């Protein structure tokens, strides 16, 4: 009973401290220590019994060793999509197609296409946020719902759906002995349910807020849609398709390594198609590497 209480308390404390802004490299080991103490696991090795220090660090280093290349390539792919303007081009094409009359739907779909294509959530939010501000302003919708629209399209039905190249869909594979397309029939139903119900709920909340007199409020710090030269939207969609196609064709034969090959293909195709729009390759590469190190470090700590 004490071990179960310790586990629940450790998870709860981790959530609370993270939401309060504490660094995961500090909070995760502390919460893990709480779980260890309540489960009778010694802090340091005193016998052949598992100890906290070696157990925690073995798990940390093991995760980094197994997933570093995937985090690195995924981060590089996202940063190249950002620096070349390919992510902006894809999002802007979807937004222009739907128009301001479907402001919320346009934001959700733009995020969904990019996320399901393997672009990291941070890059998707960075690319879609200026367009979301512009659309919400044009439709005079309360700006406080912009994060909800971004989240609905990027961290719900696309990130966990079967076939998604996002890391959340690939990490369980070796532990559950499945594939990234496991349960795809159920996944389609769940994804549609999440997307439709999430959109309906979001629109209900927005319409309710508008009926109560809420409207868009301008801020001096609001970003504007970039007027720089962007590649053709197809030059952003093709690399997304390359990632999805290679992961589909190779996941049976290469298993986890299929994602490495798929992301490599995405990076190469993205560079070849959009190298003219990549003005600072060194900056894009450095930002990608730093982003990968931070992401995998935080994930391994937890």
């Amino acid at each position: 009973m004490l071990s179960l209480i310790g586990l629940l308390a450790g998870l709860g404390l981790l959530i609370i401290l993270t939401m309060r802004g504490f660094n995961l490299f500090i909070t995760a080991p502390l919460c893990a220590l709480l779980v260890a103490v309540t489960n009778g696991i010694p802090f340091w090795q005193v016998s052949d019994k598992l100890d906290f220090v070696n157990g925690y660090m073995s798990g940390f280093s093991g995760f980094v060793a197994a997933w570093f290349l995937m985090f690195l390539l995924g981060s590089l792919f996202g940063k190249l999509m950002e620096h070349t303007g390919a992510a902006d081009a894809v999002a802007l094409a979807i937004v222009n197609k739907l128009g301001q009359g479907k402001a919320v739907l346009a934001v959700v779909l733009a995020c969904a296409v990019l996320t399901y294509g393997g672009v990291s959530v941070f890059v998707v939010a960075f690319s879609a946020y200026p367009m979301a501000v512009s659309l919400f302003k044009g439709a005079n919708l309360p700006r406080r719902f912009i994060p909800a629209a971004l989240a609905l399209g990027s961290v719900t039905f696309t990130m966990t759906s079967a076939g998604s190249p996002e890391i959340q869909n690939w990490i369980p594979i070796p532990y559950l002995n499945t594939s990234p397309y496991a349960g795809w029939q159920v996944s389609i139903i769940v994804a549609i349910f999440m997307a439709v119900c999430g959109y309906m709920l979001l629109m209900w909340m927005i319409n309710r807020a508008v009926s109560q007199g809420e409207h868009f409020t301008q801020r001096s710090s609001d970003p504007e849609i970039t007027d720089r030269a962007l590649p053709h939207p197809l030059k952003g969609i093709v690399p997304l398709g390359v990632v999805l196609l290679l992961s589909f064709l190779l996941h049976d034969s290469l298993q986890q390594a299929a994602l490495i090959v798929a992301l490599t293909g995405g990076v190469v195709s993205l560079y070849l198609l959009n190298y003219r729009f990549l003005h600072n390759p060194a900056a894009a590469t450095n930002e990608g590497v730093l982003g990968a190190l931070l992401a995998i470090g935080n994930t391994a700590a937890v």
Side-chain angles (χ1 to χ4, degrees), residues 126-274:
F126 182 84
S127 299
Y129 179 67
M131 299 170 199
V133 171
S134 176
L135 286 170
F136 272 61
K137 179 182 178 181
N140 198 24
L141 301 177
R143 67 177 303 130
R144 66 186 179 95
F145 292 103
I146 292 178
L150 296 174
L152 176 60
S154 59
V155 298
T156 56
F157 60 95
T158 56
M159 182 172 287
T160 55
S161 295
S164 173
E166 296 292 340
I167 203 74
Q168 289 81 1
N169 188 44
W170 286 73
I171 287 178
I173 292 174
Y175 306 102
L176 302 179
N177 194 27
T178 57
S179 79
Y181 295 89
W184 64 267
Q185 303 93 332
V186 177
S187 177
I188 293 175
I189 297 174
V190 173
I192 294 174
F193 177 82
M194 293 174 70
V196 173
C197 291
Y199 180 73
M200 291 175 62
L201 177 60
L202 180 57
M203 289 306 301
W204 177 81
M205 295 171 65
I206 292 176
N207 291 332
R208 184 167 177 267
V210 171
S211 66
Q212 294 176 348
E214 292 191 44
H215 55 85
F216 186 85
T217 53
Q218 183 77 27
R219 294 178 183 174
S220 59
S221 59
D222 280 346
E224 296 182 359
I225 297 178
T226 179
D227 57 357
R228 67 167 175 157
L230 296 175
H232 191 278
L234 282 177
K235 291 186 177 182
I237 293 176
V238 168
L240 301 179
V242 169
V243 174
L244 293 174
L245 180 62
L246 288 177
S247 64
F248 174 75
L249 294 176
L250 301 174
H251 75 273
D252 281 338
S253 57
L254 299 182
Q255 297 181 347
Q256 284 179 265
L259 184 56
I260 297 177
V261 176
L263 289 172
T264 301
V267 169
V268 172
S269 62
L270 182 59
Y271 179 79
L272 292 177
L273 290 172
N274 301 284

Side-chain angles (χ1 to χ4, degrees), residues 22 58 71 97 115 122 142 144 179 187 191 256 272 289 301:
F22 287 89
S58 295
F71 273 80
K97 189 71 174 178
T115 307
F122 302 105
R144 66 186 179 95
S179 79
S187 177
Q256 284 179 265
L272 292 177
V289 171

Side-chain angles (χ1 to χ4, degrees), residues 52-68:
F52 170 74
V53 173
N54 288 312
Y56 182 82
M57 293 313 301
S58 295
F60 186 100
S61 59
F63 185 89
V64 173
W67 295 98
F68 175 71

